[in-house]
Amino acid sequence: MTDTRKSLAELGIVDAVQLEALFAALREEFDRAAAEARDGTEWEALRVAWAGRKAGKLRQITENWLKPAPPELKRAVGQHLNELRAHLEATLAKPPQAGAAAVAAAEAERVDLSLPGIERYLGVRHILSQVLDEIQQIFLRIGFTVVDGPEIETPYYNFEALNMPADHPARDMWDTLYVETPRPGELLLRTHTSPMQIRWMEEHQPPVRIIVPGKVYRHDNPDATHAFAFYQVEGLAVDTDITFCDFRGVMDYFVKEFFGPKVKTRLQPSYFPFTEPSADVYGSCFVCEGAGCRLCKQSGWIELCGAGMVDPAVYGFVGYDAKKFSGFAFGMGVERMAMLKYGINDIQLFFQNDVRFLRQFR
Ligand code: PHE
């Protein structure tokens, strides 16, 4: 607190700059005291302390600073004193309402229990995990088992045992990434999940009903519909009396479960070295319901997966009797399924991990 009972000389004030600081400090002291006054009694005490006629600070300043001030400071002291007085009078003219400060303090701490809380974002499973799960559940319901296999494969499983000998032109259907090994060409990143057909049949006798979800790799340039790593779900069913009708029925069941009961299926002749006959499975366009739109390129149909009856030649590689057993296989792209189902137009979105994209799928 500035002691207004001492003279300027005693306070060590000798020039205008010091004087200005002195009055600024005083004004601050007053403002602080005014802000702290809670009720009428305290306000009156404040008034007496500062503006009291007999011993208020204004009075003391007049007596102890102004009157004995050296001539060169006198004018400035007078001016500062007048300003301070005007400020005090203006402030003291508006006493706080009884309890106003207390009310304001309580108001600031008030909790409105009716306000909705701040939502905490918990995170979601990646949309691909969700779709993979859904596909698996659909097949589990009709007796398929989920198995998985290695992503690094040998050309034997990826090609040869799938009825594609070395230099078979059909190997070009998959742009293959090879692993660098001492003898080049020994290992590759599987280009599809079909190698697991072979691995499973090598070790198990029919009946076979498996699906194989997993990552596959292709030497493709990334764009809106291509990625060098993506997911597939392979399916394989082999038994003594499996017909093309079973194949068709299972495809139809899956498509209706996954995309909705209104979606129809259609098979179109295709070619894979390990299926005979081969078919591409199409679903009727679920956007335009067959009328023709951008998604189905005006055809009314959307390609969903490659499939077919297992080629008897494949049974030769796993020691099955091709006269006794028959079956079907299919392979679908998981990203493609998700893109179709949720209207996603760029496959790269799955891998960029932009939370604004991922959060949409709760
Ligand atoms: N493996 C094939 C592909 O990736 C798909 C397929 C699987 C076709 C099973 C027929 C039978 O293109």
Side-chain angles (χ1 to χ4, degrees):
M1 286 281 271
T2 311
D3 191 347
T4 45
R5 285 166 310 184
K6 289 193 173 140
S7 71
L8 289 177
E10 281 171 317
L11 290 169
I13 307 295
V14 295
D15 62 27
V17 177
Q18 290 173 321
L19 194 63
E20 184 162 344
L22 181 69
F23 272 94
L26 262 176
R27 187 182 161 124
E28 253 176 55
E29 280 170 30
F30 171 75
D31 285 345
R32 216 176 304 130
E36 280 167 10
R38 308 249 150 220
D39 53 30
T41 317
E42 287 184 19
W43 195 253
E44 178 56 19
L46 177 78
R47 194 194 63 72
V48 171
W50 287 82
R53 263 180 217 293
K54 267 175 145 177
K57 280 185 181 287
L58 288 179
R59 168 92 192 160
Q60 289 177 345
I61 292 167
T62 310
E63 294 301 321
N64 304 331
W65 295 1
L66 182 67
K67 285 189 182 164
E72 70 275 11
L73 282 183
K74 199 156 197 137
R75 218 179 119 82
V77 175
Q79 264 174 16
H80 282 303
L81 178 57
N82 284 339
E83 278 170 25
L84 183 63
R85 178 179 289 117
H87 178 64
L88 259 63
E89 281 170 359
T91 308
L92 291 167
K94 297 175 280 172
Q97 283 172 349
V103 170
E107 192 64 36
E109 283 178 23
R110 191 170 105 166
V111 177
D112 181 350
L113 294 174
S114 71
L115 279 175
I118 297 165
E119 196 185 353
R120 299 268 170 232
Y121 181 67
L122 289 177
V124 291
R125 298 190 65 210
H126 194 283
I127 178 60
L128 280 183
S129 300
Q130 294 184 43
V131 167
L132 261 168
D133 246 22
E134 197 184 342
I135 295 172
Q136 292 176 42
Q137 290 303 324
I138 291 171
F139 285 104
L140 284 170
R141 289 203 284 276
I142 54 170
F144 282 76
T145 305
V146 179
V147 302
D148 66 7
E151 291 174 15
I152 294 178
E153 268 295 6
T154 62
Y156 177 79
Y157 287 105
N158 198 80
F159 293 124
E160 219 162 301
L162 288 164
N163 206 22
M164 277 175 277
D167 304 320
H168 192 291
R171 290 196 182 195
D172 276 357
M173 287 168 74
W174 299 274
D175 288 316
T176 310
L177 291 159
Y178 284 86
V179 179
E180 262 184 41
T181 49
R183 275 184 294 146
E186 266 179 328
L187 290 176
L188 49 77
L189 297 176
R190 67 177 177 191
T191 59
H192 49 183
T193 40
S194 300
M196 264 312 280
Q197 292 187 28
I198 307 302
R199 287 187 178 277
W200 188 262
M201 288 190 285
E202 276 182 344
E203 313 242 308
H204 302 82
Q205 285 302 305
V208 169
R209 280 181 195 81
I210 56 162
I211 57 167
V212 190
K215 222 187 242 176
V216 302
Y217 300 84
R218 298 206 185 157
H219 191 191
D220 274 332
N221 284 322
D223 64 20
T225 53
H226 295 87
F228 46 78
F230 58 97
Y231 287 88
Q232 279 192 337
V233 174
E234 187 85 5
L236 175 70
V238 181
D239 209 336
T240 46
D241 47 12
I242 290 188
T243 67
F244 199 86
C245 282
D246 296 315
F247 161 54
R248 230 211 121 128
V250 168
M251 290 296 102
D252 197 52
Y253 159 79
F254 168 74
V255 169
K256 285 189 161 55
E257 288 290 303
F258 188 76
F259 290 109
K262 278 204 229 156
V263 179
K264 292 190 280 247
T265 42
R266 182 177 88 167
L267 301 178
Q268 177 172 300
S270 183
Y271 173 74
F272 298 100
F274 37 96
T275 46
E276 182 59 38
S278 301
D280 289 329
V281 181
Y282 283 76
S284 59
C285 182
F286 19 85
V287 171
C288 64
E289 297 189 356
C293 68
R294 251 179 51 188
L295 182 66
C296 61
K297 300 197 185 94
Q298 309 304 330
S299 73
W301 295 91
I302 292 172
E303 189 184 335
L304 299 177
C305 71
M309 302 304 286
V310 178
D311 193 310
V314 171
Y315 295 135
F317 286 94
V318 298
Y320 279 13
D321 182 347
K323 293 210 175 65
K324 214 164 127 196
F325 298 118
S326 59
F328 61 84
F330 57 86
M332 66 181 85
V334 179
E335 287 80 358
R336 186 173 164 76
M337 293 293 150
M339 289 167 81
L340 291 170
K341 183 160 178 168
Y342 296 106
I344 299 162
N345 60 11
D346 188 340
I347 196 173
Q348 304 301 329
L349 286 166
F350 293 113
F351 316 116
Q352 284 159 350
N353 287 332
D354 183 332
V355 291
R356 291 169 303 180
F357 168 71
L358 298 173
R359 277 180 186 181
Q360 298 175 79
F361 305 101
R362 290 204 222 194

